[in-house]
């Protein structure tokens, strides 16, 4: 889209929200929205108080009592309709994502496409909430398991994927028979209003109870209500490892469930047999795309010493061609950092890297766009590092790629696994043995392991999540739906006798 004036941007936001079905007023509230594209404030909107959040949980809890009795295929009709509305308003919601997260329109609409895809998957899942039948050791008995809804699901989502991760949880939770209370990032409240409005329309179109979906807006203080309320059976939280350390014990202290998607610090290994042109494309997108603000961003590159100089030269040359600027310009590849805090973190990380022996080959400089001091654009950085530097163990949510070398493949695996995070990983190789080792139990210790593609760009059909300090949660596809249900083991005795298991005799 063309670059707009600030007033034109505000009109675009109002039009997009109205198209999605939002009918509230903008302005005069306690929660200030902002765009990283220009650094300008947008609208002040009404936030949610803790008391209101508690009331919404109560409404969702009451709605659950009838929603759980609705046949699962009928529940699937709600997400089917939601997907249809998302497809119809893909551009409208994509604009809101672009404005608040600073993504290119291609990436922003791609995020909405993820929402559409998860609705398709969840619709099919609504007819496949399978249990098992197992052989009983007792004659005339049937042993089986069934799956039931758990109740209210609280979803806490982050700014970098303001609507997609919410939909991964919500589409699955709704078809499983749960109700949802969503607390989005306060930095992306407008996107949340649009996504929630579309779901509300879908619920109304299907004639179901509007209270099965609730939206609370505000900072971490209002989100904490979800952590402590015993009616919230599951808290699915996406954010930093620091946040996860606070969420997990609080929810566990009341014996609630939690699903965590936390820090990344993802690495790629490049072996001597790799197709370097293919590797180059995968690395640059994974490391510099979305200005390094994906949880799956490639932050470490471990390259065989025999090809390191050649590959690094190619990466540096590619970085120098990256277009940096306002993502509304369709020629731009790298948009803004979220705010000054992200910029300051990047500068501190680069300073520390230099102190630990790192050599910044390209990047790190601030790029002024339209002479604005309120927005924070940067040149993505590539840094050659000694293998054992402490800084590479920390995730900085900015476009910094640390490059290290190895001589032995086992050394590469050890370097890869040496960090506390375990989300996504990649290897570039034409050696089948290296690929299989990387995917084996003695290879990558991450929840996602890729061969000949980068660390970012996961598909809906697979379970998304990671190990170690990434939190261990799984969302989206595969059997991730089970997180939103409880398992019941059932034994039916139709024998007319009462034999006990394990041959126990009593009476």
């Amino acid at each position: 889209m063309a670059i707009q004036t600030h007033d034109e941007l505000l009109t675009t936001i109002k039009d997009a929200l109205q198209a999605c079905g939002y009918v509230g007023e903008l302005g005069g509230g306690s929660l200030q929205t902002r765009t990283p594209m220009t650094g300008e404030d947008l609208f002040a909107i009404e936030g949610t108080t803790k008391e209101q959040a508690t009331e919404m949980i109560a409404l969702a809890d009451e709605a659950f009592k009838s929603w759980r009795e609705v046949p699962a295929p009928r529940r699937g009709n709600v997400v089917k309709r939601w997907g249809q509305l998302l497809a119809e308003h893909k551009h409208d919601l994509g604009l809101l994502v672009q404005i608040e997260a600073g993504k290119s329109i291609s990436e922003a609409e791609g995020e909405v496409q993820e929402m559409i895809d998860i609705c398709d998957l969840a619709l099919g899942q609504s007819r496949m909430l399978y249990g098992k039948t197992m052989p009983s050791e007792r004659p005339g008995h049937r042993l089986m398991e069934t799956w039931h809804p758990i109740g209210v699901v609280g979803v806490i989502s982050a700014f970098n994927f303001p609507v997609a991760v919410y939909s991964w949880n919500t589409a699955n939770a709704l078809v499983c028979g749960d109700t949802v209370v969503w607390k989005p990032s306060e930095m992306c409240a407008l996107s949340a209003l649009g996504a929630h409005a579309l779901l509300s329309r879908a619920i109304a179109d299907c004639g179901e109870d509007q209270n099965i979906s609730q939206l609370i807006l505000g900072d971490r203080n209002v989100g904490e209500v979800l952590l402590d309320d015993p009616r919230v059976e599951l808290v699915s939280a996406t954010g930093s490892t620091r946040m996860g350390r606070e969420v997990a014990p609080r929810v566990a202290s009341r014996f609630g469930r939690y699903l965590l998607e936390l820090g990344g610090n993802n690495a790629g290994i490049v072996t001597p047999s790799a197709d370097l042109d293919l590797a180059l494309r995968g690395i640059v997108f994974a490391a510099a795309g979305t200005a390094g603000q994906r949880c799956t961003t490639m932050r470490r590159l471990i390259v065989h010493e025999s090809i390191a100089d050649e590959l690094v030269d190619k990466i540096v040359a590619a970085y120098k061609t990256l277009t940096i600027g306002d993502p509304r310009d369709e020629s731009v590849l790298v948009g803004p950092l979220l705010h000054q805090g992200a910029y300051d973190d990047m500068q501190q990380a680069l300073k520390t890297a230099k102190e630990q022996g790192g050599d910044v080959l390209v990047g790190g400089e601030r790029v002024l766009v339209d002479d604005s001091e309120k927005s924070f654009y940067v040149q993505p950085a590539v840094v050659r590092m000694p293998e054992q530097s402490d800084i590479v163990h920390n995730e900085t949510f900015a476009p910094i790629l640390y490059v290290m070398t190895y001589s032995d493949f086992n050394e590469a695996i050890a370097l890869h696994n040496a960090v506390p995070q375990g989300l996504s990983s990649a290897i570039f190789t034409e050696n089948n043995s290296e690929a299989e080792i990387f995917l084996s139990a003695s290879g990558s210790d991450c929840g996602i392991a890729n061969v000949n593609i980068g660390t970012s760009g996961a598909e809906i059909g697979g379970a998304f999540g990671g190990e170690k300090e990434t939190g261990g949660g799984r969302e989206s596809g595969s059997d991730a739906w089970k997180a939103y249900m409880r398992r019941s083991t059932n034994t039916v005795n139709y024998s007319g006798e009462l034999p006990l298991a394990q041959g126990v005799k009593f009476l």
Side-chain angles (χ1 to χ4, degrees):
M1 61 180 292
I3 305 298
Q4 298 175 309
T5 67
H6 189 62
D7 287 344
E8 289 172 335
L9 186 62
L10 297 181
T11 298
T12 295
I13 292 168
K14 289 180 178 179
D15 290 345
L17 280 171
Q18 186 176 30
C20 290
Y22 175 70
V23 295
E25 293 295 323
L26 296 172
S30 59
L31 184 61
Q32 182 63 57
T33 62
R34 171 186 173 276
T35 176
M37 298 189 302
T38 63
E40 299 286 346
D41 289 339
L42 299 172
F43 294 100
I45 62 175
E46 289 297 334
T48 307
T49 66
K50 285 190 172 184
E51 293 74 20
Q52 289 171 329
T54 299
E55 292 172 4
M56 291 180 184
I57 292 170
L59 290 172
D61 183 56
E62 185 63 29
F64 169 69
K65 296 172 184 176
S66 56
W67 182 243
R68 64 187 173 185
E69 299 298 333
V70 174
R74 197 176 108 191
R75 300 194 297 252
N77 287 336
V78 171
V79 297
K80 177 183 178 181
R81 180 60 183 146
W82 191 25
Q84 291 170 340
L85 290 170
L86 286 165
E88 183 180 343
H89 297 285
K90 181 177 178 177
H91 185 65
D92 298 312
L93 187 55
L95 283 175
L96 296 172
V97 170
Q98 178 185 53
I99 290 164
E100 288 191 301
K103 297 184 176 184
S104 69
I105 194 61
S106 173
E107 284 197 68
E109 290 188 359
E111 181 170 346
V112 181
Q113 186 60 50
E114 285 193 43
M115 302 178 76
I116 297 166
D117 292 345
I118 195 63
C119 287
D120 285 346
L121 186 144
L123 172 61
Q125 194 67 65
S126 69
R127 294 181 180 271
M128 297 185 294
L129 302 176
Y130 295 140
K132 295 180 179 177
T133 299
M134 292 79 75
S136 173
E137 66 185 63
R138 291 168 285 185
H141 287 61
R142 179 156 61 93
L143 182 63
M144 59 185 179
E145 66 181 23
T146 52
W147 292 84
H148 303 294
I150 55 174
V152 179
V153 171
V155 179
I156 300 173
S157 59
F159 82 90
N160 59 327
F161 279 86
V163 292
V165 176
Y166 153 67
S167 70
W168 296 355
N169 287 275
T170 299
N172 275 326
L174 288 176
V175 300
C176 287
D178 303 320
T179 55
V180 177
V181 181
W182 179 26
K183 192 277 176 193
S185 168
E186 62 270 30
M187 292 174 278
C188 294
L190 300 173
S191 304
L193 288 173
H196 178 69
L198 289 171
L199 177 54
S200 296
R201 286 175 61 182
I203 295 168
D205 289 350
C206 294
E208 305 295 353
D209 186 349
Q210 284 289 336
N211 288 326
I212 64 175
S213 171
Q214 301 287 333
L215 173 65
I216 60 177
L217 298 175
D219 60 16
R220 58 174 292 172
N221 291 320
V222 71
E224 288 176 349
V225 175
L226 294 172
L227 308 185
D228 300 325
D229 196 310
R231 293 169 295 188
V232 180
E233 295 289 343
L234 169 69
V235 175
S236 177
T238 302
S240 66
T241 297
R242 176 204 56 76
M243 182 198 74
R245 293 190 195 281
E246 297 182 28
V247 169
R250 286 180 65 169
V251 178
S253 69
R254 60 175 176 83
F255 298 99
R257 303 186 189 189
Y258 53 83
L259 192 166
L260 302 177
E261 296 288 358
L262 308 175
N265 200 9
N266 317 288
I269 296 173
V270 186
T271 76
S273 68
D275 178 336
L276 293 190
D277 289 335
L278 183 146
L280 175 66
R281 295 195 299 274
I283 292 164
V284 172
F285 171 71
T290 325
Q293 296 172 122
R294 289 178 179 237
C295 52
T296 54
T297 290
M298 186 181 293
R299 309 199 184 278
R300 298 176 295 132
L301 189 63
I302 302 164
V303 190
H304 192 270
E305 59 191 11
S306 67
I307 59 170
D309 290 344
E310 179 184 1
L311 179 59
V312 169
D313 286 347
K314 288 176 179 286
I315 294 172
V316 169
Y319 268 46
K320 290 179 178 178
T321 69
L322 294 174
T323 49
I324 302 162
D326 192 316
R328 290 172 292 178
D329 180 344
E330 293 185 0
S331 69
V332 164
L333 295 175
V334 180
L337 293 174
L338 182 65
H339 47 43
Q340 182 173 354
Y343 173 76
D344 291 343
D345 287 347
M346 180 179 182
Q347 298 310 306
Q348 182 58 52
L350 290 173
K351 180 175 181 288
T352 302
K354 292 176 185 177
E355 293 170 350
Q356 296 180 2
D359 182 14
V360 179
L361 304 179
V362 66
E365 306 90 355
R366 185 174 177 186
V367 178
L368 285 181
V369 175
D370 295 330
D371 296 322
S372 172
E373 294 288 344
K374 295 181 179 180
S375 57
F376 291 86
Y377 294 82
V378 293
Q379 169 70 51
V382 177
V383 188
R384 286 289 290 263
M385 293 297 299
E387 287 77 357
Q388 301 304 323
S389 303
D390 291 340
I391 189 64
V392 303
H393 291 204
N394 301 323
E395 180 186 35
T396 301
F397 223 61
I400 303 175
L401 179 64
Y402 299 116
V403 181
M404 298 165 283
T405 59
Y406 76 94
S407 57
D408 175 76
F409 188 63
N410 289 331
E411 178 191 1
I413 295 293
L415 283 170
H416 178 279
N417 293 346
V419 300
Q421 307 88 354
L423 178 53
S424 187
S425 59
I427 187 171
F428 293 91
T429 181
E430 296 298 312
N431 184 310
N432 187 62
S433 177
E434 290 174 337
E436 291 296 335
I437 291 171
F438 184 75
L439 299 178
S440 74
S442 56
S444 167
D445 62 0
C446 295
I448 299 169
N450 298 329
V451 176
N452 290 329
I453 62 171
T455 53
S456 58
E459 296 184 27
I460 284 298
F464 182 92
E467 302 301 324
K468 302 191 292 186
E469 288 189 1
T470 302
R474 292 298 185 274
E475 297 168 323
S476 187
S478 185
D479 64 350
W481 60 271
K482 292 181 178 179
Y484 309 93
M485 305 197 83
R486 61 180 177 86
R487 186 194 322 240
S488 175
T489 301
N490 315 133
T491 304
V492 178
N493 178 7
Y494 58 90
S495 70
E497 304 294 334
L498 195 62
L500 301 178
Q502 294 86 46
V504 172
K505 304 294 184 183
F506 188 79
L507 297 182

